[in-house]
C-alpha cells in the first residue's frame, strides 16, 4: 500500500516559506501568554484561591486550552490530583454547551454553571466572550463566596486579556517564538 | 487558535478529526494513544455511549517536537459523526488549528462523506470567524481501504479534494494502524509550518506598525 503524500508536503518543501495566501489561514487569532501577563493573571487566581478557599482554579479558553491554573497548598499536596488539561477541556465543553442551551432557550449573555457534587463542587463563570474561570471546591466552602470572588478575579483578568489575544497575521507584539520549520513530528511511529 | 505560553515555553495546537459516522475517527485516536509512550501523551478521554459511539468528543493530548526550547503539544479531538450531534460538533471545532477528515471508503458512504465535509466547512465558518476549511491545515484520510469493495482512491479524491489548494491525502486502515501516524504527521507538520510563518509575518508587521490592533479582534478582547 502506497503512502500518498502529495508533493507540497514533503519535508524539503515544508521548510520553504509558504505563499502569502497561506499566511492568513491558521485560525483568526492565537493566544500568546507572556511571563508578565501570566504573572498578573496568576496573582488574580492566587488571590481568588486565598479569599474563596477553593481547591483549584483555572483560566480556560473556549477551545479547551488552559491558560493558567492554580491549586491551594492542600490540593497541590494531595495524592490524587485531577489533570488540569482534562478539567479545562471538559469545562470548556460544558460551558460552551451551556451557552448554546441558554441561547436556545432565549437567554442572552453568558450563563454561569454550578455543579453540586456529593463532596466536591465546581463553578464556571465567564471572563469574556471566549474565556471562562473554573473553580473547584469542597462542601466547607460557601458557593456565594466563590461566586463573588470569581467575578472579582474575572474582572481583573478580563482587563488584561487583550495582552494575550494576538492576531494571526496582524500587528501583535513581536513574539519570541522560534521560527525553525517543523520536521516530521510523528512519522517515526508509522 | 494556537496557545503560546512563554512562561512554560509551550506551544499548543488543536487538531480535530472529523468525518461521517463510523468512519474511524475514534479508532485513529485509540491507535495513537496505544502507540505513544506514557511520557508522550496524556489519557484518552472518551465521552461515548454504552455502544462506544462518540457522544460529545474524544480527547487525547500528545507531546511532539521540541523547537528552540519550546515544546509543541497537540490536543487531538474527534467529534461525533452522526448528524444529530451537530451542535456539540460545533463546540469542538472552536479554535481549531488543523483538521483531519476521515472518510469512509465504503461504496454506500459516498453521500455521507460529501455531506459530512459540507457540514464541517459550514461549522468552521460559523465558529471561527474569518476562517474556512480551505484556510486551515487539512488532511484527508481515506479509511477502511481493506474493504473488498472500497471505492477507488482517485474517485474519493475527485469527490472530496477538488479544492483550490488540494489537501494531502492518505489511504488508511485505522483499525490496523496503517497510515494513522502518517496522517497525523502531515497535519501536524502543516500546522506548525503555518504557525511559524504567521509568527514571522507578525514580527515583521509589528516592526512596521507597532501598537495596531486589528478590528476583528475587538470581540475577543471584549
Amino acid at each position: 500500500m502506497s503512502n500518498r503524500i502529495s508533493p507540497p508536503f514533503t519535508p524539503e518543501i515544508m521548510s520553504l516559506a509558504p505563499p502569502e495566501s497561506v499566511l492568513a489561514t491558521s485560525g483568526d487569532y492565537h493566544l500568546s501568554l507572556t511571563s508578565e501577563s501570566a504573572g498578573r493573571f496568576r496573582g488574580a487566581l492566587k488571590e481568588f484561591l486565598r479569599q474563596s478557599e477553593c481547591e483549584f482554579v483555572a483560566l480556560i479558553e473556549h477551545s479547551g486550552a488552559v491558560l493558567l491554573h492554580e491549586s491551594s497548598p492542600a490540593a497541590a499536596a494531595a495524592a490524587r490530583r485531577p489533570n488540569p488539561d482534562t478539567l479545562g477541556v471538559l469545562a470548556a465543553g460544558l460551558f460552551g454547551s451551556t451557552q448554546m442551551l441558554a441561547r436556545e432557550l432565549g437567554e442572552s449573555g453568558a450563563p454561569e454553571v454550578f455543579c453540586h457534587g456529593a463532596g466536591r463542587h465546581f463553578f464556571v463563570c465567564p471572563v469574556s466572550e471566549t474565556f471562562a474561570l473554573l473553580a473547584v471546591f469542597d462542601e466547607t466552602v460557601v458557593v456565594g463566596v466563590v461566586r463573588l470572588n470569581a467575578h472579582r478575579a474575572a474582572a481583573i483578568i478580563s482587563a488584561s486579556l487583550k495582552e494575550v489575544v494576538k492576531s494571526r497575521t496582524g500587528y501583535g507584539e513581536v513574539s519570541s517564538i522560534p521560527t525553525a520549520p517543523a520536521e516530521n513530528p510523528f512519522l517515526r511511529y508509522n | 487558535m494556537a496557545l503560546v505560553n512563554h512562561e512554560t515555553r509551550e506551544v499548543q495546537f488543536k487538531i480535530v478529526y472529523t468525518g461521517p459516522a463510523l468512519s474511524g475517527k475514534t479508532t485513529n485516536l485509540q491507535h495513537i494513544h496505544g502507540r505513544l509512550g506514557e511520557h508522550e501523551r496524556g489519557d484518552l478521554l472518551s465521552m461515548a455511549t454504552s455502544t462506544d459511539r462518540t457522544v460529545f468528543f474524544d480527547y487525547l493530548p500528545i507531546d511532539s517536537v521540541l523547537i528552540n526550547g519550546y515544546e509543541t503539544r497537540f490536543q487531538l479531538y474527534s467529534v461525533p459523526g452522526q448528524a444529530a450531534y451537530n451542535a456539540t460538533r460545533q463546540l469542538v471545532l472552536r479554535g481549531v488549528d488543523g483538521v483531519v477528515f476521515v472518510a469512509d471508503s465504503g461504496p454506500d458512504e459516498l453521500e455521507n462523506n460529501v455531506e459530512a465535509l459540507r457540514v464541517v466547512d459550514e461549522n468552521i465558518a460559523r465558529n471561527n470567524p474569518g476562517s474556512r476549511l480551505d484556510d486551515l491545515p487539512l488532511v484527508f484520510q481515506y479509511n477502511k481501504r481493506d474493504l473488498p469493495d472500497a471505492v477507488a482512491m482517485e474517485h474519493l479524491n475527485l469527490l472530496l479534494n477538488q479544492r483550490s489548494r488540494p489537501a494531502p491525502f492518505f489511504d488508511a486502515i485505522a483499525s490496523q494502524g496503517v497510515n494513522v501516524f502518517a496522517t497525523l504527521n502531515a497535519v501536524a507538520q502543516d500546522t506548525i509550518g503555518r504557525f511559524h510563518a504567521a509568527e514571522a509575518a507578525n514580527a515583521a508587521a509589528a516592526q512596521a506598525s507597532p501598537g495596531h490592533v486589528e478590528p476583528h479582534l475587538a470581540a475577543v478582547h471584549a
Side-chain angles (χ1 to χ4, degrees):
Chain A
M1 186 168 296
S2 64
N3 180 0
R4 301 187 189 214
I5 302 182
S6 59
F9 289 83
T10 58
E12 292 76 21
I13 303 294
M14 277 302 292
S15 67
L16 300 174
E20 195 64 33
S21 60
V22 175
L23 294 180
T25 59
S26 75
D28 54 329
Y29 63 94
H30 72 261
L31 306 176
S32 180
L33 188 66
T34 62
S35 297
E36 292 77 33
S37 300
R40 201 166 303 131
F41 294 155
R42 198 177 296 285
L45 297 184
K46 281 183 171 170
E47 182 62 10
F48 166 76
L49 283 183
R50 194 185 65 78
Q51 292 190 340
S52 65
E53 299 183 338
C54 283
E55 293 175 11
F56 175 86
V57 62
L59 176 61
I60 56 178
E61 207 266 348
H62 72 169
S63 67
V66 177
L67 268 76
L68 280 172
H69 61 88
E70 282 292 322
S71 299
S72 68
R80 188 189 171 280
R81 285 176 291 166
N83 183 311
D85 287 337
T86 303
L87 293 185
V89 163
L90 291 173
L94 171 75
F95 191 62
S97 55
T98 307
Q99 277 182 316
M100 288 178 91
L101 178 61
R103 220 170 289 141
E104 285 294 316
L105 296 173
E107 286 285 310
S108 60
E112 297 169 350
V113 181
F114 170 59
C115 177
H116 188 105
R120 187 159 284 131
H121 322 304
F122 63 83
F123 176 75
V124 186
C125 75
V127 173
S128 74
E129 201 177 317
T130 54
F131 290 85
L133 208 65
L134 163 69
V136 180
F137 51 101
D138 66 20
E139 68 280 1
T140 63
V141 175
V142 180
V143 65
V145 175
V146 174
R147 189 170 181 269
L148 176 70
N149 286 297
H151 282 285
R152 279 184 185 154
I156 294 168
I157 290 168
S158 71
S160 300
L161 269 180
K162 65 181 176 187
E163 296 169 9
V164 174
V165 181
K166 303 295 177 200
S167 162
R168 67 185 165 190
T169 56
Y171 302 88
E173 290 169 12
V174 180
S175 125
S176 57
I177 281 294
T179 53
E183 293 183 356
N184 290 295
F186 298 106
L187 212 51
R188 64 186 182 278
Y189 293 101
N190 212 35
Chain B
M1 181 228 63
L3 166 61
V4 184
N5 192 328
H6 294 283
E7 195 183 45
T8 57
R9 297 180 74 78
E10 200 178 271
V11 186
Q12 190 173 294
F13 298 103
K14 180 174 185 175
I15 306 291
V16 177
Y17 283 69
T18 185
L22 294 172
S23 62
K25 303 174 289 296
T26 300
T27 308
N28 267 269
L29 263 58
Q30 287 170 338
H31 179 76
I32 293 165
H33 179 258
R35 283 291 306 277
L36 293 179
E38 282 186 15
H39 61 289
E40 295 169 304
R41 50 102 176 137
D43 293 334
L44 174 62
L45 180 72
S46 282
M47 298 173 74
T49 64
S50 56
T51 52
D52 280 345
R53 302 291 300 274
T54 304
V55 69
F56 197 160
F57 57 78
D58 304 306
Y59 165 73
L60 176 65
I62 57 175
D63 294 336
S64 176
V65 289
L66 193 71
I67 304 173
N68 291 358
Y70 277 71
E71 190 176 330
T72 309
R73 300 192 75 200
F74 288 88
Q75 314 271 29
L76 307 184
Y77 288 77
S78 73
V79 293
Q82 296 146 282
Y85 292 118
N86 195 40
T88 52
R89 232 179 355 243
Q90 288 182 38
L91 285 175
V92 180
L93 284 166
R94 285 178 170 180
V96 61
D97 293 302
V99 174
V100 174
F101 187 88
V102 182
D104 192 320
S105 298
D108 298 334
E109 297 298 325
L110 293 181
E111 202 175 314
N112 290 335
N113 286 326
V114 172
E115 175 60 11
L117 187 61
R118 186 191 67 75
V119 172
V120 174
D121 197 6
E122 192 177 280
N123 286 343
I124 285 176
R126 186 176 298 165
N127 291 282
N128 302 274
S131 284
R132 299 297 303 262
L133 181 60
D134 273 346
D135 298 335
L136 293 167
L138 168 67
V139 173
F140 285 96
Q141 184 188 80
Y142 302 133
N143 194 22
K144 304 187 185 178
R145 298 307 301 166
D146 53 338
L147 288 176
D149 53 353
V151 175
M153 289 273 290
E154 291 70 20
H155 189 176
L156 286 168
N157 217 35
L158 191 71
L159 204 63
L160 302 170
N161 200 9
Q162 292 301 303
R163 327 185 75 79
S164 55
R165 184 170 164 269
F169 58 96
F170 295 88
D171 48 0
I173 310 171
S175 59
Q176 298 173 21
V178 176
N179 274 340
V180 167
F181 276 100
T183 305
L184 174 62
N185 185 67
V187 73
Q189 194 186 47
D190 193 12
T191 302
I192 295 173
R194 291 192 199 205
F195 174 76
H196 287 306
E199 279 294 308
N202 250 352
Q207 284 177 336
S209 177
H212 178 82
V213 176
E214 287 194 71
H216 78 276
L217 293 177
V220 185
H221 289 164

